[in-house]
Amino acid sequence: MASVPSLASTVQQRLADGLSAALPDAASADPLLRRSDRADFQANGILALAKQLKGNPRELATKVVEAIPANDVLKEIEVSGPGFLNITVTDAAIIDTLAARAADARLGVPFNESAGTTVIDYAQPNVAKEMHVGHLRSAVIGAAMVEILEFTGETVVRRHHIGDWGTQFGMLIQYLIEHPHELDHSSGAEVSGEEAMSNLNRLYKASRALFDSDEEFKTRARARVVDLQAGDEETLALWQRFVDESKIYFYSVFDKLDMDIRDGDVVGESGYNDMLVETCRILEESGVAVRSEGALCVFFDDVKGPDGNPVPLIVQKSDGGFGYAATDLSAIRDRVQNLKATSLLYVVDARQSLHFKMVFETARRAGWLNDEVKAVQLAFGTVLGKDGKPFKTREGETVRLVDLLDEAIDRASAVVREKAQDLTEAEIAERGAQVGIGAVKYADLSTSAARDYKFDLDQMVSLNGDTSVYLQYAYARIQSILRKAGDAKPAAHRELALAPSERALGLHLDGFGELIAETAAEYAPHKLAAYLYQLASQYTTFYSECPVLKADTPEQVENRLFLCDLTARTLHQGMALLGIRTPERL
């Protein structure tokens, strides 16, 4: 496994060498290289440098160009405008760097030299409650970040902080004690997620109705919360039944989302109960938190309510109960001290930003977070309906996640069936699920997480435009070409002249490693989605302008098959990092 320096980094190095040869005082100046539509690259760092050295930028630029020794990478450097450098690389250099990428299982993508341990908190459904469209983004964005960070060499610990604690369990458990068969299953066979959820739904509604209408039941339910918090064995055993039943349901939804959720990674709110008292003690003794009207609070200069009074983070309520803050702070202690995290990444709705800002600042004051250990909220926006309002059913209910996924699979299966030439019904069903779930994930991941996005299934499963279906068809088309190539095999030919669309495709393929590093560093999966869409678009242009199997010479056929093959491998790797399948035939 060898990481391959990109052409951009090679060109950058040659320019830096030229700069320091021509201008010894400017040895550390940055050439400011970027891709350009005028040439392969443009460097505009000499403008700033000329200002600094009080020189003429065009003259300086000419000096730098003259100081670069002849080499096999740079074909032409032209000084343009007020002192920009337009740089064209040789065709051979493009093919050489791509051949080096193709020879490596990781496509030449380097490991991050400063990799550490990241704990990612994502996919956090609530026990005994149905997952709705609002749960989609945390799961999809979090799962993509797990894959992307692991690919860069980061050690990733997944955490699913499920809502499995709180006063509502008193009501549920008490109802189950009084109606002991409500969670029984109809048969000994394996229970479906749908059956588990309908059991829980029915019980939740019935217990809620009783709680709201029957004062005596309400009193018994509240006493049951006290038993639960005190760790009473019978109460805990019944609580565990709710957790187990919910997990049957959660796992069925994550399975449909083609996501790998492991039991050991599910550590709910309850997982930190034993730490809460100590967390409060440490915060109070260190002076980070203070008692105010009986509650244990942390105050901030910049967090005030509408009345101008400070709004504290309440770690322990005046009645002795603990809020989310105590649990979240205990989780930070656990993740830093026991899991040895260097980064904590929380994939949580943007509406909780203030809460997490206060929690992270409290953890910093307590010394759990510092320059070596950082916490970041990857905040995401809301899923909207086609009308641009928060996504609801016609009845105004929140949309069930399962219904959405099923509908996406149905729509995608229709698209696959229409285009399928030689697929069996079983293959159409399998591809329909891969295309439908891919469409949902891609629509989410191709939007910057912080922005709201419209959930529009017609658009998502369209073959045209920025959709995963477009990418999947590009991949399948390449596989079809490779199958039809017969004896011709992909091979790099550095002696061949490249057509403009071959060069554009090659230069884009060469940027994959740098793009992955940027995506990981910024926690920005939408940048990877944008790269892959551009890759498929450039491939489409190449395919329409450059005959592959009917190219002029056997060498040109091999070279174009080589470009096809590397494009397919890059698409496959990139899509896998987003959690999206690339079927070989569509």
Side-chain angles (χ1 to χ4, degrees):
M1 284 191 330
S3 70
V4 177
S6 68
L7 276 172
S9 64
T10 306
V11 171
Q12 172 102 354
Q13 189 55 53
R14 297 285 153 91
L15 286 181
D17 293 346
L19 265 171
S20 54
L23 308 161
D25 305 344
S28 61
D30 184 348
L32 294 179
L33 191 72
R34 58 186 179 82
R35 287 295 305 280
S36 162
D37 46 9
R38 302 253 168 99
D40 295 336
F41 299 99
Q42 186 177 65
N44 46 22
I46 292 177
L47 295 176
L49 193 58
K51 218 177 211 167
Q52 196 185 318
L53 299 174
K54 303 194 170 33
N56 174 323
R58 270 195 79 99
E59 282 172 21
L60 275 186
T62 308
K63 256 190 185 166
V64 170
V65 173
E66 285 165 359
I68 297 173
N71 59 75
D72 54 359
V73 174
L74 302 175
K75 182 179 179 186
E76 185 184 4
I77 307 183
E78 170 204 33
V79 179
S80 83
F84 296 120
L85 296 181
N86 284 336
I87 299 151
T88 306
V89 294
T90 63
D91 290 354
I94 294 177
I95 294 299
D96 287 345
T97 185
L98 295 183
R101 291 194 179 285
D104 177 48
R106 289 174 53 82
L107 302 172
V109 178
F111 287 107
N112 176 3
E113 286 170 8
S114 54
T117 298
T118 298
V119 176
I120 302 192
D121 187 324
Y122 70 107
Q124 311 104 342
N126 292 312
V127 165
K129 287 196 179 154
E130 190 125 35
M131 287 176 73
H132 55 77
V133 68
H135 289 115
L136 180 65
R137 299 206 72 184
S138 174
V140 169
I141 295 168
M145 281 317 310
V146 168
E147 297 300 329
I148 291 163
L149 288 171
E150 282 187 340
F151 188 62
T152 65
E154 188 78 4
T155 301
V156 176
V157 183
R158 312 151 183 230
R159 277 290 173 267
H160 309 293
H161 191 86
I162 62 171
D164 65 353
W165 203 249
T167 51
Q168 76 276 18
F169 283 100
M171 170 183 95
L172 293 168
I173 292 167
Q174 190 58 38
Y175 189 85
L176 189 59
I177 288 172
E178 296 173 19
H179 305 81
H181 298 297
E182 285 298 304
L183 284 183
D184 293 356
H185 296 134
S186 48
S187 65
E190 199 173 325
V191 187
S192 70
E194 205 56 45
E195 186 189 337
M197 195 62 239
S198 73
N199 268 344
L200 289 164
N201 258 340
R202 194 180 60 245
L203 198 150
Y204 190 88
K205 284 182 179 143
S207 63
R208 181 88 241 178
L210 199 56
F211 187 85
D212 291 342
S213 64
D214 182 334
E215 282 303 318
E216 287 177 5
F217 176 75
K218 188 182 275 189
T219 306
R220 292 197 298 277
R222 286 188 169 146
R224 187 59 59 185
V225 176
V226 178
D227 294 339
L228 177 64
Q229 288 173 340
D232 170 64
E233 275 184 30
E234 182 204 8
T235 307
L236 276 176
L238 290 164
W239 166 80
Q240 189 64 47
R241 284 192 65 187
F242 283 98
V243 175
D244 292 343
E245 191 80 5
S246 299
K247 279 183 174 178
I248 296 173
Y249 162 69
F250 296 156
Y251 294 160
S252 74
V253 178
F254 289 127
D255 195 43
K256 188 164 283 197
L257 266 170
D258 195 14
M259 273 174 59
D260 171 28
I261 302 276
R262 306 171 197 154
D263 207 50
D265 300 331
V266 179
V267 183
E269 293 166 5
S270 64
Y272 305 98
N273 285 348
D274 296 347
M275 299 175 71
L276 301 177
V277 171
E278 192 183 6
T279 295
C280 291
R281 182 181 61 73
I282 294 169
L283 292 173
E284 191 168 10
E285 285 178 3
S286 62
V288 172
V290 294
R291 292 275 165 195
S292 171
E293 297 173 27
L296 186 61
C297 301
V298 182
F299 288 92
F300 308 87
D301 295 340
D302 58 344
V303 185
K304 296 189 166 62
D307 54 5
N309 290 330
V311 176
L313 181 72
I314 299 175
V315 185
Q316 189 177 20
K317 301 177 211 158
S318 52
D319 66 2
F322 300 101
Y324 289 126
T327 307
D328 287 334
L329 287 161
S330 299
I332 289 177
R333 274 179 60 211
D334 174 58
R335 292 164 184 185
V336 173
Q337 292 162 3
N338 300 329
L339 300 176
K340 305 289 182 238
T342 48
S343 301
L344 304 177
L345 183 60
Y346 289 77
V347 188
V348 186
D349 192 313
R351 286 171 290 197
Q352 295 188 45
S353 293
L354 179 61
H355 168 78
F356 279 100
K357 181 183 159 192
M358 292 160 81
V359 164
F360 295 162
E361 176 55 30
T362 301
R364 262 191 291 278
R365 291 179 189 177
W368 303 325
L369 297 176
N370 50 44
D371 293 345
E372 275 71 61
V373 186
K374 60 171 183 169
V376 179
Q377 181 191 358
L378 204 179
F380 55 82
T382 308
V383 182
L384 307 173
K386 277 189 193 178
D387 57 3
K389 298 192 177 113
F391 203 16
K392 296 271 194 271
T393 62
R394 288 210 179 93
E395 298 72 46
E397 298 278 316
T398 326
V399 182
R400 294 172 68 217
L401 186 50
V402 177
D403 293 343
L404 261 191
L405 300 179
D406 286 341
E407 193 182 342
I409 291 169
D410 288 347
R411 296 277 187 94
S413 300
V415 171
V416 172
R417 175 172 280 109
E418 202 176 303
K419 297 266 296 188
Q421 281 136 10
D422 50 356
L423 296 179
T424 64
E425 275 304 306
E427 286 172 326
I428 289 173
E430 182 198 32
R431 306 290 196 282
Q434 294 178 343
V435 171
I437 296 302
V440 169
K441 287 182 178 178
Y442 186 84
D444 191 319
L445 293 168
S446 57
T447 308
S448 160
R451 289 178 40 209
D452 300 342
Y453 83 97
K454 283 186 185 167
F455 197 96
D456 178 349
L457 275 175
D458 294 327
Q459 171 54 35
M460 286 180 191
V461 299
S462 163
L463 294 168
N464 305 313
D466 186 2
T467 65
S468 65
V469 194
Y470 175 64
L471 302 180
Q472 286 168 322
Y473 268 101
Y475 177 82
R477 178 194 290 162
I478 298 174
Q479 295 307 324
S480 162
I481 293 168
L482 294 171
R483 283 193 296 272
K484 286 181 190 149
D487 293 338
K489 292 283 175 277
H493 287 277
R494 67 191 306 273
E495 73 284 359
L496 293 177
L498 297 177
S501 58
E502 290 178 292
R503 293 179 58 87
L505 179 61
L507 286 166
H508 191 67
L509 283 167
D510 187 47
F512 186 56
E514 283 162 1
L515 181 279
I516 292 289
E518 189 182 323
T519 299
E522 296 176 20
Y523 303 134
H526 69 280
K527 292 197 163 179
L528 175 54
Y531 171 89
L532 295 171
Y533 174 59
Q534 287 164 338
L535 178 58
S537 305
Q538 294 195 339
Y539 179 77
T540 304
T541 306
F542 155 77
Y543 181 74
S544 64
E545 291 177 5
C546 299
V548 177
L549 300 178
K550 296 199 167 101
D552 295 340
T553 64
E555 290 76 19
Q556 202 171 33
V557 171
E558 289 177 349
N559 203 51
R560 286 180 178 170
L561 283 171
F562 165 74
L563 285 172
C564 288
D565 189 43
L566 189 58
T567 300
R569 284 175 59 193
T570 307
L571 275 173
H572 172 78
Q573 179 63 72
M575 296 283 268
L577 295 178
L578 296 178
I580 300 173
R581 303 270 175 187
T582 37
E584 301 288 308
R585 290 172 195 266
L586 269 176

